[in-house]
Amino acid sequence: MDHYTDALAEVIKAKREGHALPAAAEVEAPAGQVVDLMSALEATVQKARASRGKDGDADVHELPAKKKTTAKKTAKKATVKKTTARKSAAQKSAAKPKRSA
């Protein structure tokens, strides 16, 4: 079983019986190396500057100015009236040549 489950079972049992709660087990934290982040960052920056040469001085260039663009106005489209052309029966027959059999 899990250590947590065992400890929880002991706490529940002690509460039911009205006894004092069992003492928490001392758990040793794993010893690890403490890293100073600021000193690590400074070392990285110094290393980068040394690799660039010139004591890390960077060349500063002016950015090109952005061109000002004017808002384009959309041209209003002229409305076109749609008219339906009706052909008379005479015009339709004149337009199509008759087939001869």
Side-chain angles (χ1 to χ4, degrees):
M1 258 197 192
D2 186 3
H3 294 290
Y4 175 79
T5 307
D6 293 339
L8 184 60
E10 287 180 33
V11 169
I12 292 171
K13 183 179 177 183
K15 282 189 173 186
R16 280 187 187 159
E17 296 174 358
H19 299 295
L21 297 176
E26 292 293 323
V27 178
E28 289 185 35
Q33 181 180 4
V34 178
V35 179
D36 183 13
L37 294 178
M38 285 305 294
S39 63
L41 177 62
E42 287 175 1
T44 304
V45 170
Q46 292 299 326
K47 186 177 178 181
R49 285 183 179 166
S51 69
R52 271 192 240 135
K54 293 199 248 180
D55 295 329
D57 292 334
D59 295 332
V60 178
H61 301 284
E62 291 293 322
L63 294 175
K66 290 185 177 181
K67 293 181 182 179
K68 291 184 179 180
T69 57
T70 58
K72 293 182 181 180
K73 293 182 180 178
T74 57
K76 291 185 178 180
K77 294 183 180 180
T79 57
V80 178
K81 289 185 179 179
K82 293 184 180 180
T83 57
T84 56
R86 294 187 178 183
K87 293 185 180 180
S88 65
Q91 289 176 338
K92 286 182 183 179
S93 63
K96 290 185 179 180
K98 293 184 178 182
R99 291 175 133 191
S100 56

